Amino acid sequence: MPRTAPALHLALTLPESDLPLRHRVADALVSAIRDGRLRSGDPLPATRVLATHLAVSRGAVVAAYDELVAAGYLRARGGAGTFVAPEADRAAAAGVASHVRPTATPASGTAPRTPPLRWDLRPGRPDSSLIDPVAWNRAWRAGARPTPADNASAGPLHADLRRALAEHLRRSRGIPADPEELLVVPGVAATLHALTPALGLAGRVVAVEDPGYAEALTAFEVAGARTRAIPVDDDGLDPARLGDDVAAVYVTPAHQFPLGARMPVGRRADLLAWAERTGGLVVEDDYDGEFRYDVSPLPALRSLPGAAAHVLYVGTASKLLSPGLRVAWLLPPAHLRESLRIALEQRGLVVNEVTGAALAHFVGSGALVAHHARAARTYAARRAAVVAALARHLPGLRLLGVEAGLHLVVDLDDEVDDLALVGRLAALGVGVAPLSAYCTAYPRTGLILCYASLPESQADAAVRAITRVLDGIP
Amino acid sequence: MPRTAPALHLALTLPESDLPLRHRVADALVSAIRDGRLRSGDPLPATRVLATHLAVSRGAVVAAYDELVAAGYLRARGGAGTFVAPEADRAAAAGVASHVRPTATPASGTAPRTPPLRWDLRPGRPDSSLIDPVAWNRAWRAGARPTPADNASAGPLHADLRRALAEHLRRSRGIPADPEELLVVPGVAATLHALTPALGLAGRVVAVEDPGYAEALTAFEVAGARTRAIPVDDDGLDPARLGDDVAAVYVTPAHQFPLGARMPVGRRADLLAWAERTGGLVVEDDYDGEFRYDVSPLPALRSLPGAAAHVLYVGTASKLLSPGLRVAWLLPPAHLRESLRIALEQRGLVVNEVTGAALAHFVGSGALVAHHARAARTYAARRAAVVAALARHLPGLRLLGVEAGLHLVVDLDDEVDDLALVGRLAALGVGVAPLSAYCTAYPRTGLILCYASLPESQADAAVRAITRVLDGIP
């Protein structure tokens, strides 16, 4: 049986190391398990408590807990919090933390599994079942038709795909791009990890949105950039808060991740003026910029006059088609293109030939336009259904980011423990993400809910399950 | 017209920076171009001369030249050496070095192209035309049959591929592996770049072979490990030269890259004893271990008793099928598996679903076994033809590494400038690689020649072209 929370009695100290904070937090926890200060079945302190205790960001503690859950040291038990896993002490005794060699995994060898979700509304999940299987299979058949030997004697890699994507960017995002200017990359995460070394950002200040895309923050930090969290408001990131010492800023202007603001034109102009004045680079992650509802279109920041010299545009197939495709595209400023291409290739960050050719066929044949139209219609209806159900069952709830993208945010008061709510929702079969997990220096709480895969007929039932947990929460 | 070599008059100083040496060398050169100390058309100093001048490894200078050739600042002119490209001064004036922001590319915007090669014998080029197009297309059709939505509801990613690869490893490399132990990764280069952070090797000593795989050295160095070059002899790396402070060693025991030694059983046992004694990790890159000729099979190091706890095995489809496939596989020690998997996933280093399923079909259907048999037979005949032609036209030449793999090395005396030979060979349409480019602390010279794609009927003509350059060279 779990004992009472040992938060105040658990004297953790962060090990001295160059490792990222979340790894040092994970190390400290594994040490405590090894020493017997934490034993199997013990509850972990709330992330906020431990973050204060260690004087680190809550995000680092959340990330450390996630890592140790995945490695099997900890177990998340629905709404009951996080506990030291059975056998974890024996595993810890055999080694040190999960990323420092030698390392132990629990004796069972398999990570604990969470129960299956009836409604998986966690962000980043488009409905891939909307993809037309006939067009999909035809595209891959076309992509695989040339053998590797044919490809070896053909022209530059992914020329067809770059042509097709240039057309997509022009039509769908208002960006005039030459195919030769585009770089095809195996996903956004891998690219972000390479940006710091590729652009010489180590030791320099990279501004990120807070709350924001945690993987971007991690990618810059791990590679040695000095990240600075900039709070976002209802209009997204405020360029006035960017200092002149910022070398690059990572932004999501189409649909701020995760809060969902669409950055207004005035701020976009201010952002470009900042880049113009300081020489700073703007990394525009347009992750779900293809989707908007009931509002006028707002082309990508990169499409504005003068943006080409300052904005590194990042697009992806993850939301448009499927995250499992692992394809993204970059439109860098001309002066960075060649060095970026070399750095990505040197790191092996190259999309394989068949995948590139298949996507080129899917885009070039018009299948992407048809899919996008179908998906946008479907997501609009699902969004309307979930918004209506929330208004019906939980009137007065504050919703953010409903105008665009694939998810919305239920804004909660700061004293609410959204991690606990997420656990309780998971126990009811509803998967959502806690807003606090995306915060660094400016804590907020809320629930991130992706409606893209929630059929309209299920919206009411899912929202009623949410109501059981949220009712009475401020 | 090029002026005389400015080697001694060109006072280059390395900029202070945390960047890898080769980037700092590249910076220094771009600064010199910007200042006018180097002008368009000027010849660059020989890499050896500049390396001595700057007190850096020749490898760093070679890498810097390569980077600047690719970025368009420099131009390689066959046997005549390397020169500052036309317009490079104007481009340099617009920015700083190619990896530091802001960066300039030459006004033309396109990197200079080398003339096409009649015989491309550079290493790492299997003959992908041996792949049966029917089996290839069938595999991709099978891989694309489930849509992303089907995959999302299926079990763990790449389960079929891991099953098929476990069988391949057992049969072809003597390694007993459970499918669950294998990690599927998008290529060796990307994986090596992630190993240092994933295994906590930053600041620790990682030993590499010298000469060796330059990308491995770069990957460890860029990520903050302290690399130590260990000279290889006719038996590959000597474990007696590994200190107790070495945290990990990167080796290619099947066919040392590039010299081609097969590490004998005694050294393999010594290597494991070292790992056992010190707790060090052995990274076994088995890049072309599937190919051997006229010699008894030697299973992978990882297959030896006791190796499972110490050896991280790395296999790849690059030589077996095609580098354009971008798929590799890892069999890590059990205690590292989970942390490695998390680190790779966090960096987005995941093979897309269709590619994994297609390769699973290709391996599982027996097409890989058939391809391997056909390729091994073909390569054996091509190797015999090129070895015979070399013996005929250049008797007395010292050849290394002919027993296995896809390439051999022509060993040359140290005073020979192999980079210049490579340039002269390129002008005759023969592409080979200079051995010196793979050396760090222990310079050697020679030519690396991959025979995998050289038809037997062409061997004599290619070798006669080589003879025109090599005749009279010691």
Side-chain angles (χ1 to χ4, degrees):
Chain A
M1 285 297 293
R3 296 172 299 173
T4 50
L8 299 175
H9 307 293
L10 179 65
L12 286 183
T13 39
L14 286 185
E16 286 294 329
S17 135
D18 296 337
L19 292 169
L21 263 182
R22 69 205 153 74
H23 282 168
R24 294 167 60 203
V25 174
D27 273 4
L29 288 166
V30 174
S31 294
I33 296 171
R34 198 172 51 234
D35 295 345
R37 281 175 290 153
L38 277 171
R39 279 181 286 169
S40 291
D42 277 350
L44 271 285
T47 52
R48 187 166 290 161
V49 172
L50 186 56
T52 309
H53 176 72
L54 294 175
V56 302
S57 76
R58 193 177 175 199
V61 176
V62 170
Y65 280 23
D66 282 352
E67 179 181 330
L68 294 177
V69 166
Y73 285 105
L74 304 182
R75 191 160 288 187
R77 282 204 201 137
T82 305
F83 295 85
V84 180
E87 307 258 43
D89 37 7
R90 223 179 68 194
V96 294
S98 64
H99 59 284
V100 178
R101 196 170 54 83
T103 288
T105 46
S108 78
T110 53
R113 294 189 187 285
T114 44
L117 295 171
R118 188 161 164 206
W119 298 288
D120 190 350
L121 310 179
R122 291 173 297 170
R125 284 164 173 74
D127 187 352
S128 305
S129 76
L130 299 173
I131 296 174
D132 172 13
V134 174
W136 177 258
N137 289 323
R138 190 180 295 137
W140 284 96
R141 233 177 7 252
R145 200 162 299 138
T147 64
D150 300 328
N151 283 319
S153 56
L157 189 62
H158 300 320
D160 288 348
L161 178 55
R162 284 183 276 115
R163 246 190 314 275
L165 288 173
E167 175 62 15
H168 166 74
L169 288 178
R170 193 187 59 71
R171 182 154 43 185
S172 181
R173 306 301 297 129
I175 303 174
D178 276 342
E180 295 71 35
E181 296 178 291
L182 287 169
L183 300 175
V184 175
V185 288
V188 175
T191 302
L192 292 177
H193 273 273
L195 277 192
T196 299
L199 303 180
L201 294 170
R204 304 179 69 178
V205 178
V206 175
V208 295
E209 298 168 329
D210 187 359
Y213 180 48
E215 282 79 356
L217 176 85
T218 304
F220 289 115
E221 259 184 9
V222 163
R226 289 157 50 209
T227 56
R228 184 178 300 160
I230 311 283
V232 296
D233 59 24
D234 293 349
D235 287 338
L237 180 131
D238 183 357
R241 304 189 74 133
L242 292 175
D244 284 5
D245 62 335
V246 171
V249 56
Y250 169 88
V251 279
T252 51
H255 187 235
Q256 198 274 329
F257 187 84
L259 289 184
R262 296 174 88 209
M263 187 184 281
V265 173
R267 283 220 175 154
R268 292 175 184 233
D270 291 348
L271 191 53
L272 290 183
W274 166 83
E276 181 78 40
R277 194 183 74 245
T278 65
L281 178 74
V282 178
V283 180
E284 175 184 25
D285 187 346
D286 196 38
Y287 68 105
D288 64 2
E290 287 89 355
F291 298 101
R292 60 176 179 81
Y293 316 101
D294 310 335
V295 287
S296 58
L298 204 48
L301 176 62
R302 177 58 149 88
S303 72
L304 291 183
H310 304 290
V311 177
L312 166 55
Y313 175 88
V314 182
T316 175
S318 289
K319 311 299 177 291
L320 202 51
L321 278 168
S322 159
L325 197 56
R326 303 260 159 203
V327 178
W329 40 90
L330 312 179
L331 180 59
H335 66 284
L336 296 179
R337 186 186 176 281
E338 204 49 28
S339 49
L340 198 51
R341 188 187 62 74
I342 293 171
L344 293 165
E345 277 186 19
Q346 191 188 55
R347 284 170 174 74
L349 299 180
V350 176
V351 170
N352 75 45
E353 290 156 350
V354 178
T355 301
L359 186 57
H361 187 277
F362 196 86
V363 182
S365 69
L368 183 72
V369 170
H371 171 75
H372 177 221
R374 187 166 50 244
R377 247 186 348 259
T378 308
Y379 298 158
R382 291 177 178 174
R383 162 187 162 279
V386 83
V387 168
L390 286 167
R392 199 155 54 237
H393 296 291
L394 291 159
L397 214 56
R398 292 184 303 279
L399 301 185
L400 305 174
V402 292
E403 292 177 345
L406 308 182
H407 71 261
L408 54 80
V409 174
V410 175
D411 191 26
L412 297 172
D413 281 356
D414 282 353
E415 63 269 28
V416 176
D417 183 351
D418 57 0
L419 273 179
L421 292 185
V422 167
R424 287 163 62 196
L425 283 166
L428 295 175
V430 185
V432 296
L435 175 57
S436 63
Y438 299 83
C439 300
T440 306
Y442 302 90
R444 289 185 70 148
T445 60
L447 302 177
I448 307 172
L449 187 161
C450 171
Y451 44 77
S453 295
L454 181 66
E456 289 138 86
S457 60
Q458 302 271 309
D460 199 77
V463 167
R464 269 189 288 123
I466 294 172
T467 308
R468 285 174 58 193
V469 170
L470 278 202
D471 228 1
I473 298 278
Chain B
M1 286 295 295
R3 297 174 299 176
T4 50
L8 300 175
H9 307 292
L10 179 66
L12 287 183
T13 38
L14 287 185
E16 286 294 327
S17 136
D18 295 338
L19 293 169
L21 263 182
R22 70 206 151 73
H23 282 169
R24 294 167 59 203
V25 173
D27 274 4
L29 288 166
V30 174
S31 294
I33 295 171
R34 198 172 50 235
D35 296 345
R37 281 175 291 153
L38 277 172
R39 278 181 287 169
S40 291
D42 277 354
L44 270 285
T47 52
R48 187 166 291 159
V49 171
L50 186 57
T52 309
H53 177 72
L54 295 175
V56 302
S57 76
R58 191 174 175 200
V61 177
V62 170
Y65 280 18
D66 282 352
E67 179 182 330
L68 295 177
V69 166
Y73 285 106
L74 304 182
R75 188 161 289 186
R77 282 205 200 136
T82 305
F83 296 85
V84 180
E87 307 258 37
D89 36 7
R90 223 179 67 194
V96 294
S98 64
H99 59 285
V100 178
R101 193 170 57 83
T103 287
T105 45
S108 78
T110 54
R113 292 188 190 284
T114 44
L117 294 170
R118 185 161 165 207
W119 298 289
D120 190 350
L121 310 179
R122 291 173 298 170
R125 284 164 172 74
D127 187 352
S128 304
S129 76
L130 300 173
I131 297 174
D132 172 13
V134 174
W136 178 257
N137 290 323
R138 190 181 293 137
W140 284 96
R141 230 172 17 245
R145 200 161 300 137
T147 64
D150 299 330
N151 283 319
S153 56
L157 190 61
H158 301 319
D160 289 347
L161 178 55
R162 284 184 276 114
R163 247 192 314 276
L165 288 173
E167 175 62 17
H168 166 74
L169 287 178
R170 193 187 58 71
R171 182 154 43 185
S172 180
R173 306 301 298 131
I175 303 174
D178 276 343
E180 294 72 34
E181 297 177 291
L182 286 170
L183 301 176
V184 175
V185 288
V188 175
T191 303
L192 292 177
H193 274 273
L195 277 192
T196 299
L199 303 179
L201 294 171
R204 304 180 69 179
V205 178
V206 175
V208 295
E209 299 167 328
D210 187 359
Y213 181 47
E215 283 79 357
L217 176 85
T218 304
F220 289 116
E221 259 185 8
V222 163
R226 289 157 50 208
T227 57
R228 183 179 300 162
I230 311 282
V232 296
D233 60 24
D234 293 348
D235 287 339
L237 180 132
D238 183 358
R241 305 188 73 134
L242 292 176
D244 284 7
D245 63 334
V246 171
V249 56
Y250 169 88
V251 279
T252 51
H255 187 235
Q256 198 274 329
F257 187 84
L259 289 183
R262 296 174 87 208
M263 187 184 281
V265 172
R267 283 219 175 154
R268 291 175 185 233
D270 291 349
L271 191 53
L272 289 183
W274 167 83
E276 180 79 40
R277 195 183 73 246
T278 63
L281 178 73
V282 178
V283 180
E284 175 183 26
D285 187 345
D286 196 37
Y287 67 105
D288 64 2
E290 286 88 356
F291 297 101
R292 60 172 180 81
Y293 317 100
D294 311 333
V295 288
S296 59
L298 204 48
L301 176 63
R302 169 65 197 229
S303 72
L304 292 182
H310 304 291
V311 177
L312 166 54
Y313 175 88
V314 182
T316 175
S318 289
K319 311 299 177 290
L320 202 51
L321 280 168
S322 158
L325 197 56
R326 304 259 158 202
V327 178
W329 40 91
L330 311 180
L331 181 60
H335 66 284
L336 296 180
R337 187 185 175 284
E338 205 49 27
S339 50
L340 198 51
R341 188 187 61 73
I342 293 171
L344 292 166
E345 278 185 19
Q346 190 189 54
R347 285 170 174 73
L349 299 180
V350 177
V351 170
N352 74 45
E353 290 156 349
V354 177
T355 300
L359 185 57
H361 187 276
F362 196 86
V363 182
S365 68
L368 183 71
V369 171
H371 171 74
H372 176 220
R374 186 167 49 245
R377 249 191 342 263
T378 308
Y379 298 158
R382 290 176 177 175
R383 162 187 162 279
V386 83
V387 168
L390 286 167
R392 200 157 51 238
H393 295 291
L394 291 159
L397 214 57
R398 292 183 303 279
L399 301 185
L400 305 174
V402 293
E403 292 177 344
L406 307 182
H407 71 261
L408 55 79
V409 174
V410 175
D411 192 24
L412 298 172
D413 281 356
D414 281 353
E415 63 269 29
V416 177
D417 183 349
D418 57 359
L419 273 180
L421 291 185
V422 167
R424 287 164 59 197
L425 284 166
L428 295 175
V430 184
V432 296
L435 176 55
S436 62
Y438 299 83
C439 299
T440 306
Y442 301 90
R444 289 185 71 147
T445 60
L447 301 177
I448 307 173
L449 186 162
C450 171
Y451 45 78
S453 295
L454 181 66
E456 290 138 86
S457 61
Q458 302 270 311
D460 199 77
V463 167
R464 269 188 287 125
I466 294 173
T467 307
R468 284 173 59 193
V469 170
L470 278 202
D471 227 2
I473 298 278

